[in-house]
């Protein structure tokens, strides 16, 4: 049995989980509403203010979907109560990020500024060299943060670029220069 899949998902106060037909699940909470369609093989039941996730058999595809479905639903519940945030760092001389309305303006060594419009449900916050990407949907927050990082990934020689907070960039030695001449 899946260790992740058999754990019940606690429903916090103020959160409403609605099980629809064909495994459509809607989660409403203080921060908004999320909706997702799950595979038909996985079953959900609400008991004692908890959601129980079960699978019909021990077929490998059912085992794989069991823990995944439980994690996705748990992330939906956490998203509408607390939300998710990814933090990025801008490193490099002259590299900076600033907000223009709700959009993010990046000056990262190109001849032009790069402007990133946030999709619906995502907000940017800039605190010095740090960019916070926040939202209710964990998958969307991670994708937008990856798209921002992709504008100028950290390079291995000087370490300049946009990186996740705490990300270690492996550095390379530069040119050796003339030796012994």
């Amino acid at each position: 049995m899946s260790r992740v899949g058999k754990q019940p998902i606690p429903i916090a106060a103020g959160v409403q989980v609605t099980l629809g037909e064909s495994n459509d699940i809607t989660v409403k909470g203080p921060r908004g509403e999320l909706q997702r369609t799950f595979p038909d093989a996985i079953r959900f039941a609400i008991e004692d203010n908890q959601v129980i996730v079960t699978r019909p058999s021990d077929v490998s595809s059912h085992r794989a979907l069991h823990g995944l479905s439980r994690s996705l639903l748990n992330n939906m519940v956490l998203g509408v109560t607390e939300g998710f945030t990814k933090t990025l760092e801008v490193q490099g001389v002259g590299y900076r990020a600033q907000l223009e309305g709700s959009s993010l303006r990046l000056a990262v060594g190109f001849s032009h500024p790069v402007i990133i419009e946030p999709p619906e449900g995502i907000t940017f916050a800039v605190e010095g060299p740090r960019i916070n990407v926040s939202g209710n949907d964990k998958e969307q927050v991670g994708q937008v943060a990856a798209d921002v990082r992709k504008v100028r990934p950290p390079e291995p020689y000087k370490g300049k670029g946009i990186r996740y907070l705490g990300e270690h960039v492996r550095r390379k030695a530069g040119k050796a220069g003339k030796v012994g001449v």
Side-chain angles (χ1 to χ4, degrees):
M1 187 99 187
S2 169
R3 292 182 185 195
V4 172
K6 67 181 176 182
Q7 296 173 359
I9 301 167
I11 301 173
V15 176
Q16 179 184 358
V17 177
T18 307
L19 305 175
E21 65 261 359
S22 71
N23 270 359
D24 289 336
I25 297 182
T26 305
V27 181
K28 293 180 186 175
R31 291 184 52 104
E33 176 180 338
L34 294 173
Q35 192 267 336
R36 182 182 286 268
T37 301
F38 289 91
D40 290 332
I42 304 299
R43 297 286 168 224
F44 300 92
I46 299 176
E47 300 173 1
D48 299 330
N49 223 16
Q50 294 179 334
V51 179
I52 309 296
V53 183
T54 56
R55 65 176 187 239
S57 69
D58 278 341
V59 176
S60 65
S61 61
H62 291 164
R63 286 196 321 252
L65 290 173
H66 190 202
L68 171 70
S69 299
R70 190 253 178 222
S71 292
L72 291 174
L73 183 57
N74 188 50
N75 287 339
M76 289 169 65
V77 172
L78 290 176
V80 298
T81 54
E82 303 165 15
F84 294 99
T85 302
K86 283 257 188 195
T87 304
L88 300 160
E89 273 185 312
V90 180
Q91 281 193 348
V93 176
Y95 285 18
R96 64 184 171 275
Q98 61 192 48
L99 284 178
E100 285 186 352
S102 63
S103 59
L104 182 66
R105 180 186 177 105
L106 298 171
V108 286
F110 297 121
S111 61
H112 59 282
V114 178
I115 297 174
I116 299 175
E117 296 290 333
E120 188 175 332
I122 296 293
T123 57
F124 293 122
V126 177
E127 302 161 2
R130 294 196 175 151
I131 304 166
N132 291 326
V133 181
S134 303
N136 296 343
D137 189 355
K138 186 175 185 178
E139 184 177 350
Q140 190 179 27
V141 168
Q143 184 61 53
V144 171
D147 291 343
V148 171
R149 182 183 181 276
K150 198 182 335 179
V151 169
R152 181 67 92 174
E155 54 96 14
Y157 296 102
K158 292 185 178 180
K160 299 184 336 182
I162 302 172
R163 64 177 77 181
Y164 294 111
L165 183 66
E167 178 183 0
H168 176 72
V169 176
R170 200 159 163 217
R171 302 294 289 274
K172 291 183 178 179
K175 292 182 182 177
K178 293 184 178 181
V179 179
V181 176

